[in-house]
Amino acid sequence: MKVMSQHVVVVGSGIVGTVVSIALARKGHRVSVIGADQPDSCEMASYGNAGWLNPGSVVPLSMPGLWRKVPEYLLNANGPLTLRLSAVPQLASWLVRFMAAGCTPRRARAIAAALRPFLHDALERHEALAREAGVPEMIKGGGLLIVYPDRAAYGADALGWSMRRDNGVAWRELEGEELRTLCPGLSERYQFGALITDGGYCTSPGGYTSALATYAAGLGVTQVSGRVSGFRKSGGQVLAVEHAGGEIACDRVVIAGGIGTTELARMLSDTVPLVSERGYHVQVSAQDVALPVPTMMSDLKFGITPMGNEIRGAGQVEFARRGRAPDWRRARIILECIRASFPSARIESFEKVARWMGNRPSTPDCLPVIGVSPHASNVVYASGHGHLGLVSSPYTADIVADLIDGVSRTDIKPYDPARFCRFRL
Ligand SMILES: Cc1cc2nc3c(=O)[nH]c(=O)nc-3n(C[C@H](O)[C@H](O)[C@H](O)COP(=O)(O)OP(=O)(O)OC[C@H]3O[C@@H](n4cnc5c(N)ncnc54)[C@H](O)[C@@H]3O)c2cc1C
C-alpha cells in the first residue's frame, strides 16, 4: 500500500522512541525526535537496564500467589522488593490493580499470550537492527540461564514454565557438571539450571540506544533536545508540540516518554497510569567471573549480564515517591548477591563500582500502552513497557508504524490506551 509521507514528532529518545523513529524513517516519513535527555544519558531507563532479550519474559510479575509472597519480601531488608511507606497513598490504586492483574492462572496466561508477540523473535529482530545500524557486535545470542537451588525449587515455578511452553519458549535443563561447565564459579547453592535457548542480550544498552540514534540521524531523523511542555491542539488533533525552544509543527505525534508518559498524557487529557518500578545496577570488573550467558539467580531475584570486560548485576523493585533520591543500599544488595553467587570471584568494594538507578515505566496490568490517544486522534502512544522495553522495542515500532500509516491490526486491543480512561492514580 502506498502511504503519504507525514511529519511525525516522536517524544522520547530512549530505546522505544529511537527504534520507532527508525521504523518511521524507513517508511519514508519525515521524523523529528524530541527528548529531554540525550540518547546516551544515564537518566533514561534505556541506559542501565540488564540488556536481556528473553522470550521467557512472557511470565508476568503479577502471578497467582504473589500476595502471599509480598509480606515476606517486604520484611526482608535485603530482599528484592521495597516499598517506601510515604509512597503508599500515591500508589495504592495502582498496586491493588497490579496484584489483581495476574491473580488467577487464567489472567496470568492471558497476559503471557499478549506479551508473546513482543518477545518470541526479539533476538532476531535486534540482530537485524544492530546489523543495519553497523553495530552487530552489540547483540549476542547463545541463550539465557535461570538457576535454582535444586529441581524442587524449579518445580515450584511450574506454572511459569508451563506458560513459557505454551508460548513457544524452548529451554534445556542442566544439572551437575553440565551446569558448572556452562557457568564456572557459580556457587554450590545452585544445583539446577534452565537454559532458555532462543534468547540473547545486548552488550551495552546505553551504547546501543546511542548507536541506533546515530543510525536514525543518517536516515534523516532530526533530533531535538528539549522537554515537551504542552501540545497545541485544534479539532481533536495536535498541530504542534511545544517546548522551551519553541514549537514543532506536526502531522502526527508518537509519545514514547518512558516514565514521563503519564505527565505527557495528562497534557492531552488522557490517562496513562505509569508507576516507576525503580531498579538498580552495579557494574564490576570481576575478570575472574567467566560468564558466557546472562544468568538469573531465581531465589535472589537478580540477574548478571556480561558487558564487555565487566559484568552488570541488575534487579530490585523499589516503589518510592516520584523524584526521591536513589537508595544506594539497594545497589549494595545487588553487589552482595553477586558475591554470594560467585563466592571465589575477586570483586571491588562497593565504593569503587559503577552504580545506577532507573525508572521502569510500568502499567498496573503488566502490558504496554500502544495505540491511538482517546483525546487526540493523530497521537499514538508507545510506552509502559515496564521490565521489557528494550526487548519489546522492534515489535512496538512495527505496530506504531502501521498505526501511523493507517494499517489496521486486530491484535492490539490489549495495549489500547483507552483501557485506563477511568483509572485514577
Ligand atoms: C534495573 C533495570 C533492568 C532492566 N532490564 C531490562 C532487560 O533486561 N530487558 C528489557 O527489555 N528491559 C529491561 N528494563 C526495562 C527497560 O529499561 C525499559 O522498559 C526501557 O528502557 C524503557 O524505554 P523508554 O524508551 O520507554 O524509556 P526511557 O529510556 O526512560 O526514555 C524516555 C525518554 O522520554 C523522554 N521524555 C520523558 N518526558 C519527556 C518530556 N516531557 N519531554 C521530552 N522528553 C521526555 C526522556 O528524556 C527520554 O528520552 C530494565 C529496567 C531497569 C530499571
Side-chain angles (χ1 to χ4, degrees):
M1 186 170 83
K2 179 126 182 69
V3 292
M4 228 170 52
S5 170
Q6 309 192 62
H7 182 206
V8 187
V9 175
V10 178
V11 183
S13 52
I15 191 67
V16 176
T18 301
V19 177
V20 164
S21 75
I22 291 171
L24 293 172
R26 275 196 211 118
K27 294 235 176 175
H29 295 293
R30 186 156 76 85
V31 186
S32 303
V33 175
I34 176 162
D37 301 293
Q38 298 294 322
D40 58 354
S41 163
C42 63
E43 295 297 319
M44 302 192 298
S46 302
Y47 174 87
N49 62 58
W52 283 46
L53 307 172
N54 182 7
S57 299
V58 287
V59 181
L61 253 76
S62 178
M63 284 281 279
L66 176 65
W67 62 272
R68 271 198 306 270
K69 293 183 192 153
V70 166
E72 182 195 321
Y73 290 153
L74 291 177
L75 288 171
N76 177 1
N78 296 325
L81 173 69
T82 181
L83 171 62
R84 294 207 203 171
L85 282 180
S86 59
V88 173
Q90 203 178 49
L91 303 185
S93 55
W94 188 98
L95 289 169
V96 169
R97 184 144 169 192
F98 175 79
M99 299 285 274
C103 68
T104 64
R106 193 180 55 82
R107 285 181 175 208
R109 285 183 191 285
I111 297 171
L115 288 175
R116 180 177 191 269
F118 294 88
L119 308 179
H120 77 105
D121 61 353
L123 173 60
E124 290 80 21
R125 286 168 174 271
H126 279 286
E127 281 173 337
L129 190 56
R131 260 197 315 275
E132 192 184 322
V135 287
E137 71 287 354
M138 283 196 174
I139 301 296
K140 301 236 185 274
L144 304 144
L145 180 64
I146 303 184
V147 294
Y148 290 88
D150 50 33
R151 184 174 275 280
Y154 166 70
D157 265 358
L159 174 60
W161 288 102
S162 79
M163 285 160 62
R164 290 186 177 105
R165 182 175 293 108
D166 293 348
N167 286 287
V169 179
W171 71 92
R172 206 152 60 77
E173 297 178 0
L174 304 172
E175 272 174 296
E177 267 317 290
E178 210 185 355
L179 177 60
R180 277 179 219 273
T181 308
L182 180 68
C183 204
L186 181 68
S187 162
E188 290 292 327
R189 73 193 269 169
Y190 299 110
Q191 295 296 329
F192 187 91
L195 179 70
I196 296 178
T197 45
D198 300 334
Y201 68 103
C202 173
T203 60
S204 166
Y208 182 51
T209 307
S210 184
L212 293 180
T214 304
Y215 174 63
L219 294 178
V221 172
T222 305
Q223 274 138 9
V224 180
S225 181
R227 178 165 291 279
V228 171
S229 52
F231 298 93
R232 182 155 62 81
K233 276 174 81 176
S234 173
Q237 296 221 328
V238 169
L239 303 182
V241 176
E242 299 166 339
H243 61 107
E247 62 168 38
I248 312 172
C250 57
D251 300 310
R252 309 294 297 266
V253 179
V254 177
I255 308 280
I259 196 62
T261 298
T262 299
E263 191 51 42
L264 290 158
R266 233 174 249 140
M267 297 175 197
L268 292 162
S269 310
D270 289 335
T271 303
V272 178
L274 303 184
V275 155
S276 168
E277 288 186 63
R278 296 171 19 145
Y280 291 80
H281 88 217
V282 291
Q283 196 150 322
V284 300
S285 56
Q287 279 157 8
D288 46 352
V289 178
L291 196 67
V293 291
T295 302
M296 164 87 65
M297 319 304 145
S298 60
D299 53 344
L300 301 175
K301 307 266 179 262
F302 89 108
I304 304 184
T305 312
M307 301 244 166
N309 290 331
E310 303 190 323
I311 58 169
R312 176 177 290 182
Q316 292 282 318
V317 168
E318 180 193 36
F319 292 104
R321 283 178 78 86
R322 284 289 297 280
R324 289 294 292 267
D327 176 359
W328 294 119
R329 285 174 303 182
R330 312 315 304 173
R332 196 185 280 272
I333 293 168
I334 296 175
L335 188 67
E336 291 313 318
C337 288
I338 299 177
R339 288 207 174 98
S341 309
F342 292 89
S344 58
R346 281 161 298 153
I347 292 171
E348 302 99 307
S349 66
F350 183 66
E351 288 63 37
K352 291 201 179 133
V353 302
R355 63 189 85 148
W356 173 87
M357 188 279 286
N359 298 294
R360 300 181 185 94
S362 298
T363 56
D365 60 5
C366 305
L367 292 174
V369 179
I370 307 170
V372 176
S373 152
H375 292 101
S377 60
N378 63 342
V379 174
V380 171
Y381 286 97
S383 195
H385 294 84
H387 293 240
L388 304 174
L390 168 66
V391 60
S392 305
S393 51
Y395 183 69
T396 299
D398 279 3
I399 300 179
V400 171
D402 277 359
L403 287 168
I404 294 291
D405 288 348
V407 177
S408 65
R409 289 197 185 215
T410 52
D411 57 349
I412 60 169
K413 192 82 192 123
Y415 327 119
D416 187 354
R419 72 191 191 271
F420 295 122
C421 274
R422 290 202 181 81
F423 192 90
R424 289 287 158 264
L425 189 62

